[in-house]
Amino acid sequence: MFVAVALLHQAAALFQDAWIRMMHPTDPSPSSVLSRSSRSGVLDSRRWHMLSIYVTLGILNQTLWLSFAATPDATAHRFDIDKRFVAYLAVLCNAVYVPGSWLCTWLLRSHGLAKVVTMACWLQLFGSFLRWFSDLVLRPLVPTLGFLGLFCGQGIAAVASPLIMNTPAVFADAWFGKREREGVLAAGALAPIFG
């Protein structure tokens, strides 16, 4: 858990730094804030590091989404709730996907890829922390309150899902050259599946 938090924090810092350095103040379109390297023809040496962070975000996001699907009985017993409520944790991610996609489109158009991925990092970080806090602190006090906190943390992390799953092509175009884009697009699209 702490490794995931550290990776999310590092990813948020790197993407925030890249966004600040690459932003063009007069043209807020995605093409102006995606990558300076795609316009100049010089590829950024950090692109493989950024790909590893992006793939890790996809894997962590799906892990957060499906972490309770394999253990509904144990989760229901732990939080003293009916088993059907555990299924709502996975359904919540599907319910939030469409509004999250609208948010992703708006952020891409107005702020660029770096802002989208930075927001996804922070949403996953805060959602993971709230899930952990709910289990560690709230559940021993009132189990159903712990589940409510867990549900809220799951919802916050679920908003990050479309921000990650809808951007592999934009990410590949922003950081990589034409010869590398297909492989990068495949890695970005398959990362959530491995989660």
Side-chain angles (χ1 to χ4, degrees), residues 25 45 73 93 119 171 179 181:
S45 61
D73 294 327
C93 293
M119 179 170 274
F171 178 83
R179 295 180 182 175
R181 285 184 194 149

Side-chain angles (χ1 to χ4, degrees), residues 90-109:
V91 173
L92 178 64
C93 293
N94 294 329
V96 174
Y97 195 85
V98 171
S101 294
W102 291 335
L103 175 67
C104 178
T105 302
W106 175 77
L107 281 173
L108 273 175
R109 286 185 180 160

Side-chain angles (χ1 to χ4, degrees), residues 5-95:
V5 170
L7 281 172
L8 290 172
H9 186 279
Q10 180 186 15
L14 283 172
F15 272 98
Q16 184 69 27
D17 179 55
W19 176 68
I20 289 170
R21 289 186 298 107
M22 292 180 203
M23 192 158 136
H24 191 278
T26 59
D27 183 13
S29 67
S31 61
S32 68
V33 293
L34 288 178
S35 172
R36 187 177 298 164
S37 64
S38 64
R39 292 190 306 269
S40 67
V42 177
L43 295 175
D44 194 327
S45 61
R46 298 171 299 159
R47 66 188 184 277
W48 297 108
H49 181 68
M50 298 306 281
L51 177 63
S52 68
I53 292 172
Y54 187 78
V55 166
T56 303
L57 286 175
I59 291 170
L60 288 174
N61 186 266
Q62 288 299 99
T63 303
L64 289 173
W65 178 28
L66 298 173
S67 57
F68 300 103
T71 59
D73 294 327
T75 304
H77 178 69
R78 184 172 179 88
F79 288 95
D80 194 26
I81 57 169
D82 191 84
K83 192 166 76 169
R84 66 187 161 108
F85 291 114
V86 178
Y88 294 154
L89 292 170
V91 173
L92 178 64
C93 293
N94 294 329

